[in-house]
Each structure stands twice: as C-alpha cells, then as structure tokens.
Amino acid sequence: MGEKVVAGGFELSDRHEYRRKLQQCLAGLGRLLDEQRFDRPKNLMGLEIELNLVGSDGLPRMMNAEVLERIASQDFQTELGMFNLEVNIVPHRLSGRVLDQLAEELRTGLAYAHRKADEVGAGIVMIGILPTLAQDDLVSANLSDVRRYTMLNEQIVTARGEAFELDIDGVEHLTCTSASIAPEAACTSVQLHLQVTPGRFADVWNAAQAVAAIQIAVGANSPFLFGKELWRESRPPLFQQATDTRPPELQAQGVRPRTWFGERWVSSAYELFEENLRYFPALLPICDDEEDPLRVIDEGGVPGLQELVLHNGTVYRWNRPVYSVADGVPHLRVENRVLPAGPTVTDVIANAAFYYGLVRALSEESRPVWTRLPFATAAENFDTACRQGIEATVQWPRPGRSGGIAEVPVVTLVRDELLPLAAAGLDAWGIEPADRDLYLGVIEERCRRRVNGASWQADTFHRALDAGLGRDSAFAATTRRYSELMHLGEPVHTWPVGFPGQGR
C-alpha cells in the first residue's frame, strides 16, 4: 500500500478512488455488524505507552533509532519524534492478578530499555510533556526517519496551507508558530484498549467519554511547554493545534478539527466510523488494490477494511473506535487516548484500573450517566479538567432520582461516588481484591492529598525558582528530579516536593 507514496505524491484520481473504497469499507462494516460476525467477549485489554529519551542533563536526546537498535525488541517501536519511543504490552485478559502482572511486565521492560538507552547516553522518562523541550527541538528535521511520519507531516501541512499557530493561555501564555506537525511529538500518552462486542460498544464509548474529564483531572502530568507553565494537562490543546488542518477561515465556519472530543453520544460503533468519513477528507489516500471488501464478505471471508482503518487512524478522537481482525475474526475496541504517560508504573496501572473499573460499572447502570449529562457539558468538563487538573470542579448528575446537574470538586466526586463504582467494576471483571484495593488506593490518595504529576512538577519547578535558579535551569532540575523519582517507582502522591536538602 505504500509503493505509490514512496514514489512520490498523490494524484487527484487517488483521492477519488480512495473515497470510493472508503464507502465500500463502510458498507462492509455495516454488513459485518448486521450479520453478527464479530468476536465474542474475551475481556481483553491492551496498553501502549509513549516515552521520552532524556540525557543526564534533563534535555531530550534525538536518538530513538540508536536506542531501538540496542533494545532489539518488537515491544518497542518508533514514535513521531526522534526523542520518542513507544512500548506495546500484548493483550491481557481482565481478571485475577492482571494489574500486578502488567506492572511487573512494564517495570521489567522499561528497566531493560533504560539500561540500553544508557549505553548511548540517554534514559527513559515517562511524562506527558518533557519540561525541557524547546521550540528548536520540535522541527521537521527531528521527526523520526520513518516514511509514514514524513507522509503525514506533508499531507497535514499541505491541507492547512500555512504555518500552525500554537496559542495556549494558561498560568502563562504561549504563542508561537510551527512549519510542521513536529510539536505533536511533545505529547506522550498512555493508550488503553478494551475489546467489546458491537452491542456493548456504544455504552462503553459513552461511559469513556463521560469520565474522560475525570481521568484527566486525577492523572494530569503535562503542565509545561516551551518554557511556559500552561494548563495542568496541556497535551489536548497542543495536540489539536499541532494537527489542525483548518486555516482560520475554516475554523470560523465551524469545520471540525481532526483532534476533537466529539459532539454527541452514540448508539453504535458504525456512527463514529461514518462520521469520520462524512466530516474528514483523506490525509493518506492509499488504496489496497488487492481487497474488494464486499466480495470478501460474499465469499464468507473477513475483510481487513484497510482504507477505513487507515483513515480512522488520522482522526484523533480522545476515545477512538478501532476495527481489527485477529485469527480471522473481526473485533471492535475502544481506544482510550486521554491519559498522559507516567509518572510511575504504579501510577499508570492505577489510572488503568480506575478507567477499566469505571467504564465497566457505568456502562451497565440502569440509568446511564450519559442519559443525565448533556454531551456539551461532558466536553466542557474535559476542557476544565485540562486547565485545572486535580483542583478542577466539574458538572455531574446528582445521585438519586431527584435529577439535575451539580457542580462538584473532582476530588470529592472521585472519593465519594466514582471510586466505589470503579471497585464494583473491577469486581465484575474478576480482579483480585488485593490488586483492586492497591491501585484504586493510589487514586484515592492522590485525591486526598490533591497531588498528581502536574501539581508535583509545578510545585517543584517553583521551588527551584525560589532557590535562585533561572527558568531553564529550573526546568532541567525538575526533569532530573522527576526522572530519579520515576525510576525509584513510588507513586507520585508520595514524592517530596523540591530537591534533597530543601525540605518540603
């Protein structure tokens, strides 16, 4: 599928043919759904984490090709920037001691990668946005040497037709421009996958959308970009602006951005795939000339729907629908893309436990939260949580039959209402009570102490400033201390603010 692109560019006919194939794929998806051809529940979850390469000075290292060569494992792959890696954990069944098993696999894999990176003067850091990144680090020359990233950059830049404007007004105000999508590489995240049946997809997706703001608030870990203190979770506005194919005129017309929260609750997975075709033109119109999806279905086979899968991957929903085929059987997944990476393996698994428990419980409620919460309010909550992090106050349906929406601090909502739901959800998955209590206890302690990765970074940075360091030195010192504590592995709510010898 890549030969035409490698040869150079797309022709007008490519886009017409791609659109035709997309419609075929969508029709094929509809038939597979109608014929109930999808895999039965296996309670499978998956996990991906994007990582940063950082030197002992706290600065980014543009050397992922060298590090990957030394790691020599298919579990680790390139990401958009030369200072990025991604680790993929094979799917696991959500039951028993899976949370501790995941934690152990991650610790082992990251420790190995860190040792290999150290051989070439780098190290692994899990963090939402690396505080020491500078504008000069995020240029097209520092995109990974992988054709698909070059292609994607070329097509988004061409679609936009002018420089990207970054404008994020938080604690401080950042404005700058970029000639490429490279600033997107600053956003390193955790992606949580959950395989679902078509009949359960909409309930799980709606539940995930409803709690996205809560995930951000308790898990925020990205308060800095380009030497500025911005939102507590600055990844969402950065990601949207760094991939925005709309010049200002199209924004003014209300054209939807390719990175978006969405605009309504759904009743099927099909609706989301159909929306992606209806709203977003193709960025990479690469056709699989070998597959006629409808003929494959007629002959009793299962199509890969490659064009649909490719197009879906260029629409950056925070909860993305995924179609895939495993062992000749199609399945659907909800890919949760909300969370930043880090701070520690324990924190990552705690965030995952909270999410998987919560969506299980909420998706099975007799009066689902999305029937009581306007979608626009969920989107507003998401924006508020990104700005304010663990100090956010959100709008949430009142418990009981009285109805209505109330404003409630996230920490109160989580401790009083959502943690018990998450615990019930983990019980329904069959998670061992010891694991359930350990990892949900991390979330509870964050809320009790009002501490997460973003608050720790901000407080420690200001301690460095108060100690007389300049801003660049303070960012570097904060990053080095973060890396040290990250590798020690205790969850972030236990980290002492500041530096050894300073006291709390």
Side-chain angles (χ1 to χ4, degrees):
M1 291 177 69
E3 290 179 2
K4 189 183 300 181
V5 178
V6 174
F10 298 110
E11 299 176 359
L12 293 178
S13 60
D14 295 328
R15 297 188 179 277
H16 289 293
E17 176 62 12
Y18 190 76
R19 185 177 286 115
R20 185 187 70 81
K21 285 295 295 286
L22 276 176
Q23 292 300 329
Q24 279 192 337
C25 288
L26 187 64
L29 176 66
R31 280 189 53 184
L32 291 169
L33 290 166
D34 290 342
E35 296 172 13
Q36 299 183 351
R37 298 276 296 278
F38 282 81
D39 201 4
R40 295 295 90 196
K42 289 189 174 67
N43 294 353
L44 288 180
M45 56 81 67
L47 179 65
E48 304 169 66
I49 307 177
E50 295 162 353
L51 308 165
N52 292 274
L53 292 173
V54 179
S56 58
D57 55 4
L59 301 179
R61 290 291 185 269
M62 306 296 170
M63 55 195 320
N64 60 3
E66 296 168 68
V67 173
L68 283 169
E69 185 177 358
R70 289 178 176 267
I71 293 174
S73 168
Q74 292 185 346
D75 293 341
F76 288 84
Q77 302 171 358
T78 54
E79 252 300 327
L80 183 61
M82 287 184 176
F83 61 96
N84 299 143
L85 301 177
E86 182 176 82
V87 60
N88 297 290
I89 302 299
V90 297
H92 285 62
R93 195 177 302 276
L94 262 171
S95 63
R97 300 302 303 271
V98 67
L99 298 176
D100 258 359
Q101 184 182 350
L102 286 167
E104 184 57 33
E105 289 180 21
L106 273 175
R107 288 189 187 100
T108 301
L110 293 177
Y112 172 74
H114 187 62
R115 289 196 302 271
K116 290 300 179 181
D118 185 60
E119 293 175 5
V120 290
I124 302 291
V125 175
M126 287 195 300
I127 195 168
I129 296 175
L130 193 62
T132 50
L133 282 170
Q135 282 182 253
D136 290 346
D137 294 319
L138 294 173
V139 294
S140 55
N142 286 336
L143 293 175
S144 292
D145 188 17
V146 176
R147 182 58 182 155
R148 70 178 182 274
Y149 298 137
T150 307
M151 251 185 345
L152 190 63
N153 180 58
E154 291 170 351
Q155 293 303 306
I156 292 179
V157 169
T158 299
R160 183 173 175 86
E162 59 189 72
F164 297 88
E165 300 279 345
L166 302 184
D167 187 341
I168 305 174
D169 194 3
V171 177
E172 298 174 301
H173 192 182
L174 171 70
T175 58
C176 63
T177 61
S178 173
S180 75
I181 66 169
E184 179 198 334
C187 305
T188 46
S189 65
V190 171
Q191 289 117 48
L192 302 172
H193 291 256
L194 180 60
Q195 183 178 329
V196 294
T197 61
R200 297 295 299 156
F201 181 94
D203 288 346
V204 171
W205 188 87
N206 289 338
Q209 286 286 100
V211 302
I214 313 303
Q215 288 181 273
I216 283 281
V218 298
N221 197 28
S222 314
F224 303 119
L225 177 66
F226 296 162
K228 301 280 190 178
E229 184 177 355
L230 302 173
W231 296 8
R232 282 304 184 248
E233 186 53 44
S234 304
R235 284 170 41 259
L238 172 59
F239 202 106
Q240 178 174 325
Q241 293 175 24
T243 59
D244 201 343
T245 56
R246 309 167 304 161
E249 294 81 3
L250 292 184
Q251 295 180 35
Q253 291 175 38
V255 172
R256 295 161 181 84
R258 296 189 86 96
T259 301
W260 70 326
F261 186 79
E263 58 193 17
R264 63 189 177 94
W265 307 117
V266 302
S267 58
S268 73
Y270 182 91
E271 293 175 25
L272 295 175
F273 288 101
E274 189 275 333
E275 272 188 355
N276 287 353
L277 269 63
R278 180 155 40 99
Y279 293 152
F280 302 105
L283 287 178
L284 302 173
I286 311 167
C287 286
D288 179 2
D289 297 329
E290 301 299 320
E291 181 180 88
D292 180 332
L294 298 179
R295 187 177 70 233
V296 170
I297 295 173
D298 287 340
E299 294 172 352
V302 175
L305 306 183
Q306 297 296 339
E307 291 82 6
L308 188 71
V309 169
L310 179 61
H311 184 64
N312 188 59
T314 65
V315 180
Y316 305 104
R317 297 178 183 270
W318 295 110
N319 285 291
R320 176 189 276 167
V322 176
Y323 169 89
S324 189
V325 180
D327 299 323
V329 183
H331 69 260
L332 293 172
R333 301 195 304 272
V334 174
E335 180 190 12
N336 179 260
R337 302 161 47 81
V338 168
L339 290 164
T344 67
V345 168
T346 298
D347 288 300
V348 168
I349 300 302
N351 289 339
F354 186 53
Y355 169 75
Y356 286 121
L358 205 47
V359 295
R360 174 71 185 254
L362 290 176
S363 67
E364 295 179 351
E365 283 191 317
S366 58
R367 295 179 65 234
V369 63
W370 58 91
T371 65
R372 298 176 287 137
L373 182 71
F375 192 92
T377 303
E380 184 180 336
N381 284 344
F382 186 76
D383 185 78
T384 298
C386 289
R387 290 176 182 273
Q388 300 174 6
I390 206 158
E391 299 294 338
T393 293
V394 295
Q395 300 175 71
W396 197 257
R398 290 188 178 91
R401 295 282 176 177
S402 58
I405 304 292
E407 289 196 351
V408 56
V410 163
V411 294
T412 303
L413 176 65
V414 170
R415 294 177 70 188
D416 292 353
E417 186 174 342
L418 298 185
L419 276 174
L421 280 172
L426 292 180
D427 288 343
W429 287 120
I431 299 297
E432 284 287 335
D435 280 13
R436 175 200 67 199
D437 295 345
L438 171 64
Y439 291 105
L440 292 186
V442 170
I443 303 298
E444 183 175 17
E445 281 299 298
R446 276 193 223 153
C447 291
R448 188 177 71 82
R449 303 186 191 196
R450 294 178 179 259
V451 171
N452 60 14
S455 68
W456 183 91
Q457 287 187 59
D459 290 347
T460 296
F461 169 70
H462 286 286
R463 284 283 183 90
L465 291 181
D466 292 344
L469 293 183
R471 288 181 70 92
D472 289 348
S473 297
F475 281 123
T478 299
T479 302
R480 291 194 301 271
R481 181 63 172 153
Y482 178 103
S483 178
E484 176 188 345
L485 293 169
M486 185 209 94
H487 286 288
L488 288 176
E490 293 300 316
V492 71
H493 67 264
T494 69
W495 291 8
V497 171
F499 305 90
Q502 277 191 324
R504 282 191 75 89

